[in-house]
Amino acid sequence: MARIAFILLTHKDPEGIIAQAERLTATGDYVAIHFDARAGQAQYHKLREALDPNPNVTFAKKRIKCGWGEWSLVAATLEALRAAEAAFPRATHFYMLSGDCMQIKSAEYAHALLDAEEADYIESVDFHNSGWIKTGLKEDRLIYRHWFNERTQPRRFYASYSAQKRLGLTREIPSDLQMMIGSQWWCLRRRTIEWLLDFIENRPDVMRFFRTTWIPDETFFQTLVRHVVPDREIRSRTLTFLVFTDYGMPANFYNDHYDFLLSQDYLFARKISPDATDLKARLGELWTSGRTEFSISNEGRALHRFLTGRGRVGRRFAPRFWEAESTLGRERMLVLVLCKKWHVAKRLMGELRKRSHMPAYDYLFNEMSPLPDLGGIETSQEKRNRHRRAVLRMLYDQHNAERMVICVDPASFPVIEDFVSDKCQTRILEIECSFSDAYLAGHARRVGLAGEATPQPVLERLLPTIRADLAHESERIREAGFENYALLREAGDREDNARALAHALDIPSDMAQELAQLDYIFAD
């Protein structure tokens, strides 16, 4: 009978990981965990303390800091895979999972499916001709070397990429490999894993090649499995059900999707919303239920295309469905920095980025400030504002972050209200600046209220109105009575300003003191 060693890549939620590992091993299966080195040591110790007594659980010997699109994701997978292969000699299959995946069938059903056919399950289609890549880099992922992360180091990524293109520094793909691509959520037989690990050990040239490809988790296993296993033993599909939104992000599943998920021809599903507590509980019980009969309709992806293509989001399955995902997530924190003098807020963001790893973005909904590639949603202000929460969800996911800071113009009150009404924890830091007549005159010209040829008497009559308008924006924010509001004042006491920074940004007091003492931030 099949016995599965689950390769579990995670970076958060130790309680959920512990519960998932205990469920999966309760049926005689195994779990090998790689817990991202970017996550806190206390969380990792909590995992080890809870799961070390379980003989069917092991941990990767080395924890790696993982980043989307990087070799680090493959390296972390290999660490967990080697640990599982050595620790569980009775495992017949190795199944790749993330912490956002949950079972949508029972263990008996999964074992029977894997016993029924001597095959590997991995989506593996031709890299060049399949059309699998819809947007972004294609062949350039392979023929140029990528040392930097496009999302966290976009300037270095594109500078390096452009320099190689300009100098013609292409490289050859290993001649004996046919490049393939597909989903990273696979299930492979033990024999295949052993062949793969032997191949990796004996082919350092192939390893060097993949270490500097871009998004290798979509090509590494997909290519090498085809190289070591006959095509007749490969089923080019994943056993994990997932669908993508128009912006290339996995759609979330909610409490009302239980029957829908069970009817899909898959063993697991990704992603389960953090808020779907009832769904998680029901799916958790399913794995050990012993149930073997499921009515398979398998309409999931077609239904998603139908509903989103017609704008009828959520009609069939109640209010929350696919793009109706309207929250950033209860576990996340968003800080809104409100400041009319954009250069002041931008300077603060620059200093914050130097001192912390918290993602901090300038006025991304007020101007075309730089953003990483988000599948096209970031390419115009209209798109950014139409899909504000989707933009931020993607940024949270890209940074693997639970906290983020963004700047918002105080005049953008609907934007502020939108995020304050979200289920996430929203904090507001308003920066109160002084406005000289010269600054207000410049502001009038920037927004088109005055020109270079506007007579001085006209401008002088206009300035009181502009000053009152700016005061009204600030007054409206304060009268709204937003929770978790803090005020940073240009003319304020440094100790008061440090307390406001520490509270709003959730940063240590010594860092807040440093920021509060930077007088140049307010300079015009």
Side-chain angles (χ1 to χ4, degrees), residues 410-470:
S412 303
F413 198 73
V415 175
I416 300 167
E417 285 186 312
D418 185 23
F419 289 126
V420 168
S421 66
D422 191 86
K423 291 181 180 178
C424 75
Q425 180 188 158
T426 306
R427 299 188 182 191
I428 292 177
L429 176 66
E430 184 182 6
I431 303 178
E432 181 187 81
C433 300
S434 60
F435 301 105
S436 66
D437 286 350
Y439 177 86
L440 293 178
H443 174 75
R445 295 186 181 98
R446 284 190 295 273
V447 299
L449 295 175
E452 294 298 326
T454 301
Q456 188 62 26
V458 174
L459 193 57
E460 289 175 355
R461 287 196 296 271
L462 184 61
L463 293 187
T465 303
I466 297 175
R467 192 182 296 278
D469 188 58
L470 299 186

Side-chain angles (χ1 to χ4, degrees), residues 403-417:
R403 300 187 302 162
M404 186 181 300
V405 185
I406 66 170
C407 300
V408 180
D409 191 292
S412 303
F413 198 73
V415 175
I416 300 167
E417 285 186 312

Side-chain angles (χ1 to χ4, degrees), residues 1-3 91-94 110-122 187-195 225 228-236 239:
M1 185 185 78
R3 298 188 72 174
T92 62
H93 294 76
F94 295 77
H111 295 156
L113 185 148
L114 297 178
D115 283 333
E117 202 170 8
E118 188 63 27
D120 295 305
Y121 293 87
I122 179 168
C187 178
L188 304 176
R189 295 166 295 171
R190 183 179 199 90
R191 184 181 66 180
T192 302
I193 294 299
E194 291 170 347
W195 287 347
V225 168
V228 300
V229 176
D231 286 354
R232 66 179 179 275
E233 297 180 17
I234 297 175
R235 303 295 171 263
S236 186
L239 294 177

Side-chain angles (χ1 to χ4, degrees), residues 40-58:
Q41 193 67 18
Q43 292 182 312
Y44 182 64
H45 285 318
K46 185 174 185 178
L47 280 178
R48 297 300 300 256
E49 184 178 1
L51 295 175
D52 275 346
N54 188 332
N56 284 16
V57 176
T58 191

Side-chain angles (χ1 to χ4, degrees), residues 299-320:
E299 84 285 21
R301 290 193 175 114
L303 179 61
H304 173 257
R305 286 193 299 270
F306 174 82
L307 290 175
T308 57
R310 287 158 179 77
R312 296 177 58 237
V313 176
R315 291 286 182 86
R316 177 174 176 182
F317 292 103
R320 289 192 180 276

Side-chain angles (χ1 to χ4, degrees), residues 464-478:
T465 303
I466 297 175
R467 192 182 296 278
D469 188 58
L470 299 186
H472 172 70
E473 290 177 1
S474 181
E475 183 178 350
R476 180 170 58 171
I477 291 167
R478 297 177 195 182

Side-chain angles (χ1 to χ4, degrees), residues 366-379:
N366 300 109
E367 65 175 358
M368 289 304 293
S369 56
L371 288 180
D373 182 2
L374 303 178
I377 195 174
E378 82 291 347
T379 55

